[in-house]
Amino acid sequence: MIYVYAVTEGVPSPAARDGVGLAAQELRVVAASGLAAVVSDHPGGLTSPSETELWAHERAVERLMADGAVLPMRFGSLLPDEDAVRALLNTRRAELTTGLARVAGAIELGVRAVWRSDGGEPEQAPEDRTSGSGYLQALVGQRRRARALAERIDTPLARLARDSRHRLLLTANLPLSGAYLVDRERLDAFRTEVVALDEQISQAEIMCTGPWPPYSFAAASPEAA
Amino acid sequence: MSEQPASARYPAQGGRRARLDRDVTLIELLDRLLQGGVVIQGDITLAAADIDLVDVSLRLVVGAVDSVGRDLRGPVRAAVEAG
């Protein structure tokens, strides 16, 4: 079996693909249609994954990012043989090329808000689920607050980003999650803005993770579809 | 882990929330690797049950900050337009 980490335009430099992937297997390149897939060989298949394997996948893709545009594959992308990898590159060439152009020169940053535990969030979801209408009302209120927070955070950050994706989360303390596709040269400005928002917004902690490979932008945006 | 991935690095925010940072990083990793990226058509991926197992077990580790986040999301933009 062949495990696929990412698709790149052209063959990545030896330095960028120097290293190992899952199960400490060497990385190699399968090229077709002007695209390259970075893969590793697993003749005996793969055992059940763990956090270690997730980070091995992530590191392999991160190294490639030093070299140019990269479209990361979803974790677990295993193909039977090299022909199947070439078929992937050939049959989906247009989609993959468009995707690479979409993310070229940019990195993905994650933004998360967490309600502060020190009383910033006025109403947590009620524990008493026996009162149905009260529970629903609290959920609606929780969602409304999450939406207001999302808009407040997104407006300044979207100005610094090429594209963005968001999710409102109906959890007690994690109201929202955002992914931003940011030009490399705007990385510092973006992080500075997140720190500023974190200081301005008293009821939630705003955190920035990354740079990540553009996992959230590997597929065309729902609006464009 | 000897090699620290770039994604685990943060802007200086002080040690106050190191634990929260670590938990959030793991959730962000799971969200991206297991729900993002280019998807191979068909079912030729690692066994779905194995992937669900690692997803659920790692989310349990960080359960304090991600109680039921996985199944209750919707796009903010859609929610704003609808609401």
Side-chain angles (χ1 to χ4, degrees), chain A residues 46 48-51 54-55 57-59 62-63 71-80 92 96 108-112 116 143 147 150-151 154 164 166-174 177-179 191 198 205-212 215-216 218 223, chain B residues 1 3-13 16-17 20-21 24-41 44-47 50-51 53-54 58-59 63-70 72-77 79-80 82-83:
Chain A
L46 279 160
S48 298
S50 68
E51 187 181 350
L54 292 171
W55 282 114
H57 175 113
E58 170 64 13
R59 275 195 296 270
E62 285 186 14
R63 278 193 300 268
L71 278 187
M73 301 294 295
R74 181 167 297 183
F75 181 81
S77 297
L78 207 53
L79 287 168
R92 294 174 65 182
L96 294 169
E108 177 175 332
L109 293 169
V111 174
R112 286 262 179 180
R116 286 189 199 276
R143 188 162 186 93
R147 192 181 298 165
E151 290 182 59
D154 184 52
S164 60
H166 308 263
R167 293 173 305 221
L168 283 184
L169 308 174
L170 267 181
T171 56
N173 56 358
L174 260 187
S177 158
R191 282 175 162 166
D198 183 47
E205 301 202 49
I206 317 297
M207 286 177 289
C208 184
T209 64
W212 297 95
Y215 289 100
S216 306
E223 298 98 75
Chain B
M1 215 178 285
E3 187 185 352
Q4 184 75 342
S7 304
R9 291 199 301 262
Y10 291 87
Q13 289 172 329
R16 181 171 60 89
R17 56 190 192 190
L20 190 57
D21 280 346
V24 166
T25 299
L26 186 52
I27 295 171
E28 296 269 80
L29 179 78
L30 291 170
D31 280 358
R32 286 181 170 74
L33 268 66
L34 303 183
Q35 290 163 38
V38 175
V39 180
I40 292 177
Q41 279 145 5
I44 318 169
T45 58
L46 271 181
D50 285 346
I51 289 184
L53 186 64
V54 70
L58 289 175
R59 279 175 200 275
V65 290
D66 190 38
S67 42
V68 289
R70 195 181 171 203
L72 290 172
R73 9 176 105 126
V76 165
R77 291 240 165 90
V80 168

Side-chain angles (χ1 to χ4, degrees), chain A residues 81-150:
Chain A
D81 52 33
E82 213 173 295
D83 283 346
V85 179
R86 274 191 289 269
L88 167 75
L89 298 178
N90 289 329
T91 58
R92 294 174 65 182
R93 183 179 188 283
E95 173 205 337
L96 294 169
T97 305
T98 305
L100 284 164
R102 184 168 56 237
V103 303
I107 41 88
E108 177 175 332
L109 293 169
V111 174
R112 286 262 179 180
V114 182
W115 293 122
R116 286 189 199 276
S117 51
D118 51 4
E121 158 68 339
E123 284 173 68
Q124 296 287 335
E127 294 304 317
D128 177 18
R129 300 192 178 203
T130 54
S131 163
S133 64
Y135 179 68
L136 282 179
Q137 264 173 9
L139 274 186
V140 167
Q142 196 180 340
R143 188 162 186 93
R144 191 174 296 134
R145 284 190 297 278
R147 192 181 298 165
L149 181 64

